[in-house]
Every structure is written in structure tokens, then in C-alpha cells.
Amino acid sequence: MTVVTPANPAPPVSARRLRFRPGIRPGVYLAALVLFLLVLATVAPHLFTGQDPLAVDSAQTLRPPSAEHLLGTDENGRDVFSRIVFGTRTSLLLGFGAIAIALAGGGLLGVAAGLGNRFVENLIMRFSDIGLAFPELLLALVVITVAGSGTSNALIAIGVANIPNYARVVRAQTLLIRRSSYVEAAHALGLSVPRVVLRHVLPNAVKPVLILATIGVGSALVAGSALSFLGLGTPPPEPEWGSMLSTARDFISRAWWYGLFPGVAITLTVISVTVVGRALRLRSEGRTW
Amino acid sequence: MRNKILRLVGGRLIAGVGVLWGAATLTFLVLYFTPGDQAQAIVGGENAAPTPEVIAQVTAEYGLDQPWYAQYLSHLGRILHGDLGTSYRLHTPVTQAIGEQAGATLELALAAAVVGLTLSTVVALATAKRRRWIRGIASGSELVIASTPSFWLGILLLTVFSFGLRLFPATGSHGLQSLVLPALALALPIAGVLGHVLREALEEVLDEPFIVSARTRGLADLTVRLRHALRHALVPLITMTGYWVGALLGGAVITETLFTRQGIGRLLLSAVNAKDLPVVLGVVLLSAGIYVLLNLVVDLLYLVIDPRLRDAPATARPAVGGAS
């Protein structure tokens, strides 16, 4: 049985771009709603749960989900749901913080490479070549070996590991904008170089990169929780999704809920961030979403 | 044409040596600027109480009393001779420590690569340009699986197949049985990303006029996909080789820890915990070497897959698609 698609000739570009993308629209709203709830959980976790994420109860260890403990309890009798809710702050901080560092560092280097002379450009681009030769996690591990473990070091490590990527993209943007007519016009009007850079080049270079960064937050969040999972990020007892899973690994045979729900939280967050990021990108490219 | 290929390989080799040199310099900078006394670390870390004579001997032996440029040159010289230093923790040469673990990691990475590439290719071939709901399911599951951290996927696999159904062992690194779950945990998230890229490329290619002409010649749908479309769609997949090999290497740390397997990943993690810099930097150099070698292979693969590039200028390398 061969489902031969109608052999229509390649549609003109505009038609192809306007091709209806099935099922995306409601999904985007759902993803945005999830992100909104996550931000709310970051700002005011008490809205979602009345339980203390650190309250130990030795009579209630490793209990399955019940009315009292929606997602069960962990090996110390702590409420898994409230630990997930309170862990949102740290986990999101890892993702967003790391990308903020990557954006700041990469943006600075990228603009410098795009505007500087050949020597500066070559130096920065070769530096980023070298950085790209290493997997993100490996570079982060080097930073942690030198600086030590902990939430903020994990955040910095992943941020630094992402700088080469963003430096590349910002440079490409800067090169495009630098040759655009409106920058030439600004120069011709006699505006000073710093003013042109700050008012015209930078804002226009940042916008597409910000959209890319939205999607990057997801992978940075996974990398951050991976470091916690390896015991190099957020230390216990502070709630964080990756470190919760790290402990849960020892109780797989007895408590499926413990190893399940923190992972659902990570995956749901990453999916939401990716869906919203993709929608933003499609829209910025003038496509429907 | 042969000249062109030689020039391309030559150019890439020089760029590759540049990257390796940069990586070696990076490792030197890390060693040189890391706070704490290097001689003390070599002798046995903060807890060791060596006599001043031992410290003096180590300092002289490693040339730690030399000016920085002399240390830098001898650092580069040692790496050139294949000497990556001695592990602070194991007191064996780093190359030996890595060499002992390389087999297990290679086994895992190869298994995961085969699973990941096969899965993404088959799914993409089967679902590209099909009915809307088929594509919807495919792209939906790609998004979910690509967003799933491998350590959680591993926990789920363990819960179901190891502790639930008791089909596969939860730990260990011997035999095919113990390879199945780690390889899946490592491969699936990568397959999600690659499948997405491959399907988008296939859908673009299947709109091309030469596909229509192949269909009008009466070729079966499967033949069109396999013989004509796949070749074109492979280019972005190959462009992403660096990404997925990097993901395999980084993922090995997590997978080996989760499944308590032998391997470079576990070695690296215990080195990070023990602040055993020579081992960490040795793995960094190894990964830079793999990256350089791989990029060379990738550049040659482009020429094999896309004959048009053989006549194009040597720099013609397909743009890296947005890996989202």
C-alpha cells in the first residue's frame, strides 16, 4: 500500500510558508499556560501546596500517592509534590540563568567579532571553534572541577559552555546588520559609532538571538538538572528536580512515583519552552503558527 | 578534482591542528591557574602531609619552578609525545586510565549510535509527507522524546524493564543484556532530535521537481524515498554529526553513572569529584581529538553524498541548519 502524495509541483515559496501546521495553535497556548504556572510556582510556591518541602516524617516514608500526599513521599517522608513545586525555582534558575550568562558573554564577543577588525574577529571565532569542539556537559565538568560544585557553579558552568554558540550567532547577525541600509543611513546622518552600535546594531542583533535562547533554555535546564543528578549541582536537602531523581534512583524497586514525577516536571517544562520558542521563531520569520 | 579534495583535506587538517593546539593551551591554562598548589595535588591532595623534600622533588620533576612559557612548552611537548600526565588519584598515567575504560564506552556509544540513527531514519522515512495525523503523532513523539533527559528515561526504563518485568539487569557492563537499557537511554533523546531534522529535510526534498519526475517514471513510493530523497535528506543529518557524537560523549557520563557501568564517563565523574585535573583534561583532549577527526570524515562524506560539491569551491559546506 503506497500512499502517493499528489504529485503537485513545488509550491511557490509563499504558499509553502503558509502551509497549515496541524495542531500547533492550541498546543502553543497550552505550553504558554504551563510556563505561566511554572513562573507562578517560582514566585509563590505556597499557592500550590500547603506542605513544607523540607518537613521530614519518619512514619510516612516512601508512601504511594494518596489524598494527603498527591504524588507520594520520599525516603524521608517528605511530600514529593511540594518538593517539585518548590524545586521549580532552582530548576528554572539553572536554565534561565545559564542562558543569560551565555547570552551576555556570547553577545559581547559576537558583537565585538562582528564589528572589530579582522584580528579581533579571527581571535574570537577561533576561540569559539575550540569551544565548540567540546560537548556542553564536558566543558561544564571542567568548570566544576576547578570551581567546585553547587547550584551557582553549575549555572555558571553551563552558561560558559554555551557562550561559543551564541557568539557565533550574534556575530552572523551583526555582520548582516552592519551592512544594512539603515545602519549606513545612521552613519551618514553623522551619528557617533557607539550610538549606532547601541541604538541600532545591538537591539536588532539581539532579537533573533533571544528567540534562539528561548529554545536554549530547555536544553540548559536539562543540562543543569543532569549536573544535579550527578551530584555536582544543587546539594540535598534543597529541592531540585535533578537531585530528586538522583536519590530516587536508589529506590526504583520500591517507589515508582518518586522516580516518575520529578522527570515529568523536567520534560513538561522543556516541551513547553520548546513549543513557545518554536512558535516565536516561526512568527518572527513571518510564518503562521 | 583530486587536487580539490586534497586541498580541502589539507585545509581541514590545519584547522584541526589549530583546534587541538587551542585545546592543549586550554588544558595548560586550567592547570596553571587553578587555585591550590599543584605539587601538593600531585603528591596526594589536601590531606596528604608530604615532607618538604618530597614537595621539592615533585616541583623539580614537573618543572613547576620554571617560568610559565617553559612550563607551557614542556606541556605541549608532553602532549605531542602522547603523555597526558599522571592521575592525582590513581597514580597511573592518564592515557592508561582512559585506555582501560575506552572499550566499554565505545561499546555503549556505538550501540546507541546504531539504535539512534536507525530509529530516526526509519521513522522519518515512514512518516514524512504522510497523512496529517501520522505526521502529527511522529512530530509529537519526537518533541517529547527529545525533551526527555536521558537520566530520567533511564530511570523509567529501569522501573519497567529491570524491576518490573525483570527482563534486563539494572547494573553491570558485561554482555549484551546489560547493554540494551543504557544504549536505549542514551540513544532515544538523540534519535528524537535527529528524527525531527531528518523529517523536515525529507519533506522539503519530496517537494522537489526531481522527485516528481522519479514518480512519473513509475517508481514505487518506497524506492523514491530510499533511492532519491534519503540521499538529499542525509546532508543535514551529517552536518549534525558533531552534535550527536558530543551528545553521546556527554550522555555517557550520565548513562554510565545511572546504570553503574564501567567506562570513561564514570572515570570522568570520579575524577571531577576528586578534583583529579589531569584525568579531566585528558578526557577533554580526547574529545577534542575525536571532534577534529570526525569533522574531517564529515567533510569527506559531503563529497561522497553530494557530487555537486566536488566541483564547487573548496569552502562550499552546507550551512548548519538551526538545530532546535
Side-chain angles (χ1 to χ4, degrees):
Chain A
M1 195 207 85
T2 48
V3 186
V4 179
T5 43
N8 52 343
V13 178
S14 59
R16 208 186 301 176
R17 282 197 177 163
L18 289 173
R19 184 174 60 195
F20 179 66
R21 300 188 149 251
I24 288 192
R25 216 177 166 121
V28 172
Y29 286 115
L30 202 64
L33 179 71
V34 172
L35 281 189
F36 173 73
L37 290 177
L38 286 168
V39 171
L40 205 59
T42 305
V43 185
H46 296 284
L47 289 178
F48 294 88
T49 172
Q51 309 234 21
D52 183 348
L54 297 174
V56 173
D57 183 355
S58 51
Q60 296 267 345
T61 59
L62 294 178
R63 290 294 164 90
S66 62
E68 192 189 350
H69 297 288
L70 277 179
L71 304 181
T73 64
D74 69 2
E75 82 283 7
N76 289 318
R78 294 172 298 196
D79 184 53
V80 170
F81 178 65
S82 105
R83 284 182 70 71
I84 290 177
V85 169
F86 278 83
T88 312
R89 186 177 297 171
T90 319
S91 298
L92 287 194
L93 181 76
L94 275 172
F96 281 92
I99 290 303
I101 289 176
L103 265 182
L108 216 61
L109 288 176
V111 169
L115 297 178
N117 56 28
R118 274 189 76 142
F119 176 73
V120 175
E121 178 173 4
N122 271 323
L123 192 74
I124 293 175
M125 282 304 105
R126 292 300 81 78
F127 160 80
S128 94
D129 275 347
I130 295 164
L132 286 175
F134 308 111
E136 182 186 29
L137 194 66
L138 198 54
L139 218 50
L141 286 179
V142 174
V143 175
I144 284 180
T145 315
V146 175
S149 60
T151 307
S152 51
N153 281 351
L155 189 155
I156 293 169
I158 293 162
V160 170
N162 272 303
I163 286 180
N165 249 330
Y166 288 90
R168 269 184 175 254
V169 181
V170 172
R171 169 182 162 267
Q173 279 299 323
T174 312
L175 284 180
L176 270 181
I177 293 163
R178 185 189 180 179
R179 286 171 201 143
S180 69
S181 46
Y182 61 84
V183 167
E184 273 174 18
H187 274 303
L189 286 172
L191 295 182
S192 67
V193 173
R195 198 180 157 86
V196 173
V197 170
L198 282 179
R199 289 289 301 277
H200 297 282
V201 177
L202 211 55
N204 286 300
V206 157
K207 196 184 150 201
V209 179
L210 267 182
I211 290 168
L212 184 74
T214 319
I215 298 172
V217 166
S219 69
L221 195 145
V222 169
S225 55
L227 287 179
S228 290
F229 176 78
L230 293 173
L232 302 169
T234 309
E238 203 191 319
E240 197 276 337
W241 300 338
S243 70
M244 284 174 79
L245 285 175
S246 174
T247 328
R249 193 234 169 277
D250 300 331
F251 301 99
I252 294 177
S253 54
R254 283 184 282 159
W256 55 266
W257 57 92
Y258 194 10
L260 179 68
F261 296 118
V264 172
I266 298 178
T267 306
L268 204 61
T269 311
V270 177
I271 291 175
S272 307
V273 167
T274 311
V275 167
V276 170
R278 275 187 197 166
L280 287 177
R281 193 175 67 183
L282 287 182
R283 208 173 73 136
S284 80
E285 288 171 2
R287 295 201 246 172
T288 51
W289 50 292
Chain B
M1 191 196 104
R2 166 159 290 166
N3 248 342
K4 210 153 253 167
I5 292 180
L6 280 181
R7 212 179 313 149
L8 180 104
V9 171
R12 292 293 168 199
L13 270 181
I14 293 171
V17 169
V19 168
L20 286 180
W21 175 49
T25 306
L26 181 82
T27 59
F28 173 76
L29 291 176
V30 169
L31 276 173
Y32 192 78
F33 286 107
T34 296
D37 187 12
Q38 216 180 319
Q40 177 79 26
I42 292 168
V43 176
E46 287 154 16
N47 302 322
T51 57
E53 289 82 57
V54 174
I55 288 284
Q57 192 200 335
V58 167
T59 306
E61 193 182 317
Y62 283 79
L64 297 177
D65 48 355
Q66 304 278 317
W68 66 267
Y69 49 87
Q71 287 193 42
Y72 177 52
L73 284 180
S74 64
H75 179 81
L76 289 185
R78 278 199 300 271
I79 290 177
L80 268 182
H81 286 102
D83 175 7
L84 299 181
T86 306
S87 162
Y88 294 163
R89 185 177 57 100
L90 305 166
H91 304 292
T92 55
V94 170
T95 41
Q96 188 193 331
I98 292 179
E100 282 167 2
Q101 305 293 336
T105 300
L106 193 66
E107 196 181 77
L108 175 67
L110 277 181
V114 170
V115 172
L117 288 177
T118 314
L119 202 67
S120 52
T121 310
V122 170
V123 171
L125 273 175
T127 58
K129 283 259 155 200
R130 298 291 191 204
R131 276 168 226 198
R132 189 176 288 162
W133 62 271
I134 299 183
R135 279 154 55 197
I137 290 176
S139 73
S141 22
E142 275 158 16
L143 175 63
V144 172
I145 206 84
S147 307
T148 307
S150 65
F151 52 93
W152 183 52
L153 194 62
I155 288 182
L156 292 185
L157 290 172
L158 281 173
T159 310
V160 176
F161 293 104
S162 201
F163 292 101
L165 304 174
R166 301 193 176 276
L167 283 177
F168 299 104
T171 59
S173 39
H174 294 289
L176 214 57
Q177 285 274 39
S178 65
L179 189 61
V180 175
L181 294 185
L184 273 180
L186 189 51
L188 285 179
I190 297 173
V193 176
L194 294 185
H196 176 76
V197 171
L198 194 57
R199 210 162 39 82
E200 291 220 321
L202 269 175
E203 299 201 328
E204 200 128 306
V205 172
L206 286 171
D207 274 341
E208 296 285 334
F210 72 86
I211 295 291
V212 180
S213 98
R215 288 195 199 282
T216 47
R217 274 187 285 136
L219 292 184
D221 181 56
L222 188 67
T223 320
V224 170
R225 280 167 191 264
L226 279 178
R227 293 259 306 268
H228 296 276
L230 185 60
R231 188 186 186 122
H232 286 255
L234 278 181
V235 170
L237 200 65
I238 289 175
T239 306
M240 290 182 70
T241 307
Y243 154 78
W244 60 260
V245 173
L248 283 179
L249 264 174
V253 184
I254 291 160
T255 318
E256 286 170 6
T257 306
L258 176 61
F259 291 92
T260 3
R261 277 177 65 88
Q262 296 283 306
I264 294 179
R266 278 272 293 289
L267 175 76
L268 177 62
L269 184 61
S270 48
V272 170
N273 278 318
K275 294 207 172 292
D276 190 351
L277 266 178
V279 171
V280 176
L281 298 179
V283 177
V284 164
L285 278 176
L286 176 74
S287 106
I290 293 174
Y291 176 85
V292 166
L293 205 67
L294 218 66
N295 268 311
L296 198 64
V297 174
V298 163
D299 279 316
L300 292 176
L301 268 182
Y302 282 137
L303 298 180
V304 174
I305 287 195
D306 192 344
R308 287 173 301 185
L309 293 177
R310 290 178 207 156
D311 304 320
T315 46
R317 181 177 175 162
V320 179
S324 60

